[in-house]
Amino acid sequence: MASYSASIGYGITTAAVGIILTCSRILDGITDPLLAFVYDRVNTRFGKLRVLLVAGFLIEAAALYGMFTGFSSRGLGLPVFALLYVVYIIGYTVTNMTAQTIPAIMTNDPGQRPTIGVWTTAFNYLVPMAMSMVMNVVLLPMFGGQYNQAFLTAACNMTLLVAAVGTVLVCLGVSSYDKPETFMGTKKSEPLKMSDIIEVLLHNKPLQCYIASNASDKLAQQVASQAIINTLFNGILIGNMGLATILTVISMVPSIFFAAFGAKYVHHHCQYLLYGRCHRL
């Protein structure tokens, strides 16, 4: 809902917001490698994962609160909104990239990792689906059925509360794995260097293809999810934002089943490869 906040709280046109949000994805290409250096060097008595997850959440929460509530509708313009969104992107990067390393740390079993992936996918669909339903079907009518400052404030506060609970649960769940010995390899290794990243990027063709594929998908998702697209399609053509939300939720359900099927396939395929390799040995 950043587009609505920019329009309502900062007087920025929807088209300009779309450009800002799309260009912000380029910033991910800078913050993601930088976090690799931070991640490699964070080792505290409270662990690595929990420190980064909490730090990322606090950065996101501060940026979102400022964007939707603290500085919204106060006559501030594009520079303040853009700055807050950049801060949010930094917090999002810290949280998201740290979370993506958790499955690999929790288990090396080729049968368990796809199962963790299924649960991750399920939560990534179900939580936003539930939040979207509550916001557009329950919360929005309470504020006259319109996106206004009062609705954005309530939506932001509810989201931060749910995110805080989720962060606490994740920290509790990874506490037994978040220990210094977990991140120590069998060989002595040096801290990650920029030259190491450049070396991999220049000479690893599969990684280059993977980056190009993900970058194009991310850009397409960002463009398709712009508020102006959703408003034109759901608000004007369909004429019912609540119904559009319900239809979106229904369309997401098959994705969860595909994820479960994919995990089962990967589990079976990995076991087959491991069995064949061990048999040859």
Side-chain angles (χ1 to χ4, degrees):
M1 296 185 178
S3 298
Y4 295 114
S5 177
S7 177
I8 296 170
Y10 298 87
I12 306 173
T13 62
T14 306
V17 176
I19 295 174
I20 294 172
L21 300 186
T22 301
C23 292
S24 67
R25 288 302 168 188
I26 300 176
L27 182 63
D28 283 340
I30 301 174
T31 56
D32 289 2
L34 291 178
L35 180 64
F37 291 97
V38 177
Y39 186 96
D40 195 41
R41 288 165 172 77
V42 173
N43 291 290
T44 71
R45 64 190 185 94
F46 300 105
K48 180 195 296 281
L49 302 175
R50 288 169 293 179
V51 170
L52 290 173
L53 287 172
V54 172
F57 166 74
L58 292 177
I59 295 172
E60 284 184 290
L64 290 176
Y65 182 82
M67 188 190 307
F68 283 85
T69 302
F71 298 101
S72 186
S73 297
R74 296 182 182 273
L76 304 175
L78 189 148
V80 173
F81 175 82
L83 177 62
L84 290 172
Y85 197 79
V86 167
V87 175
Y88 163 74
I89 288 292
I90 294 173
Y92 170 83
T93 300
V94 175
T95 301
N96 191 51
M97 288 190 63
T98 303
Q100 289 181 5
T101 65
I102 292 177
I105 292 172
M106 291 180 67
T107 178
N108 289 323
D109 189 288
Q112 291 181 348
R113 280 195 180 180
T115 304
I116 295 176
V118 171
W119 283 106
T120 302
T121 303
F123 273 99
N124 284 339
Y125 276 110
L126 292 175
V127 174
M129 283 165 52
M131 293 291 290
S132 181
M133 289 285 291
V134 171
M135 288 185 182
N136 290 293
V137 180
V138 179
L139 196 62
L140 188 60
M142 295 172 59
F143 296 91
Q146 296 181 350
Y147 289 95
N148 50 41
Q149 183 57 54
F151 167 75
L152 292 176
T153 298
C156 178
N157 293 337
M158 182 179 66
T159 301
L160 293 181
L161 178 61
V162 173
V165 173
T167 302
V168 171
L169 291 176
V170 173
C171 289
L172 292 174
V174 302
S175 59
S176 59
Y177 304 95
D178 194 14
K179 301 175 181 178
E181 55 267 23
T182 305
F183 304 94
M184 294 180 181
T186 56
K187 298 180 181 179
K188 185 178 181 180
S189 59
E190 297 181 358
L192 186 65
K193 301 177 182 177
M194 181 61 72
S195 58
D196 300 329
I197 297 178
I198 296 176
E199 179 72 18
V200 172
L201 288 175
L202 292 179
H203 301 96
N204 193 321
K205 188 174 181 179
L207 178 62
Q208 295 171 358
C209 296
Y210 181 76
I211 292 174
S213 174
N214 275 273
S216 59
D217 287 351
K218 200 72 171 181
L219 181 61
Q221 291 172 7
Q222 182 67 32
V223 174
S225 63
Q226 290 299 318
I228 189 171
I229 303 297
N230 291 326
T231 302
L232 287 172
F233 184 70
N234 299 323
I236 298 176
L237 293 180
I238 297 179
N240 190 328
M241 293 294 291
L243 176 62
T245 301
I246 296 174
L247 292 176
T248 302
V249 169
I250 294 174
S251 67
M252 287 182 177
V253 174
S255 300
I256 300 177
F257 290 101
F258 279 116
F261 171 78
K264 186 175 181 180
Y265 173 81
V266 170
H267 172 59
H268 174 76
H269 189 62
C270 286
Q271 283 190 326
Y272 175 78
L273 289 177
L274 288 175
Y275 174 78
R277 184 176 298 174
C278 292
H279 182 70
R280 288 193 299 271
L281 292 175

